[in-house]
Amino acid sequence: LESSHNSASAYAQQNGVQESSKSGQNFANTDYSTHTTDSYNGTNSQDQNVKSQSPSPDSYANVQNETAGAASYSASNGSGVQHKDSKSSLTENNSDSQISASVYVAVFFRQLVASFFNFTNLGALFPKQALSILGPSVPAFMPLPYFVVGFITSTLAILVKTFCSSDLLCAIVVTMFFFTMTGSAAFRGIGHLCTAVSLRKLDTYGKILITIFFISLFAASFEYFSTQMNIDIYFSLGVSVIFMLSSFTATTLNFGSSDDPVSSFGALGLKGLISGTVICLAVTFTVLDWQIALTMLGICLLCRVLIGQFMDIKGIKAGTDMVCGLQLITSVLLMLELIFTAGYFVFINPV
């Protein structure tokens, strides 16, 4: 009985294991079939979505028609804009052509008068008139105020020599008047050049030494003129030409070079350069003897090339200090050249 009971229980266990395995296989088959069905349904739904999203031939043709219409509309608008631009350009040209000659003449004389306040210390003495009434000038007019300042300086030397008969006093008065009218910007410019040459910043004593050196040369030159030369109105014209040439040499730094963004006289155009060159040459050969005129022009050209190339190599901007510094250097060299050649050539062109 016990053996039969054990065999029956073993048989029942084997049947339970087989049934469980069969149920597991059935459950797995059911899951696989369900997953396959779902994936198949998902694939079909994705295909349907793609088909629904893909444009039909009719819609593609409509899109092409809309694109062509937009392109034609933009082309028509572009032609309209170009037509408007051409109309505006023609209007501007007509407005420029309608400016009368009197306006150009008025602007010319305004800049002419303003140059006396921009390039001399008159702007500091009369700031309201210089800024609000006259306004800025252009570098092409720089030789004119220096020509007038040179003429007044030489005339003042004649007056002092006539009433005091003192050569030293004459030189002192003339030097004080000239640097009062032109200011101290030239000494700052020469100091910048000396700093660039020596590769070290000048101290206060070096700047004072430069100032004393150039003032002494200027005063000694005028003392020699009042002692050894006949000072008259023609001599005043000759000295005026010296300052005119030196200022024109200095103002050419504003042509084709980078201006100082902090302090600058402005840019010199090609028309201003050509007109200034013609006027300065005409005045020079009219007043001075042609031999003296050629030597002075050579000195001006040499100073402009040497200092201009040095500034270009060192990257120095063409500011007001550098322009005034070149003017002072050139004027002192021209006066020294007049001293050295006074006994060999005639200074003033004979009338």
Side-chain angles (χ1 to χ4, degrees), residues 84-142:
K84 291 180 180 179
D85 292 337
S86 62
K87 283 186 176 180
S88 62
S89 62
L90 289 174
T91 304
E92 291 178 355
N93 292 328
N94 291 328
S95 63
D96 292 336
S97 61
Q98 290 176 358
I99 297 176
S100 60
S102 60
V103 176
Y104 288 105
V105 173
V107 172
F108 175 81
F109 282 104
R110 183 199 64 78
Q111 293 179 348
L112 190 66
V113 177
S115 64
F116 290 91
F117 294 87
N118 290 139
F119 301 110
T120 62
N121 276 343
L122 290 177
L125 296 176
F126 305 99
K128 183 178 180 180
Q129 291 78 4
L131 296 177
S132 62
I133 299 177
L134 295 175
S137 183
V138 291
F141 289 104
M142 186 178 179

Side-chain angles (χ1 to χ4, degrees), residues 137-149:
S137 183
V138 291
F141 289 104
M142 186 178 179
L144 178 62
Y146 274 89
F147 181 87
V148 176
V149 169

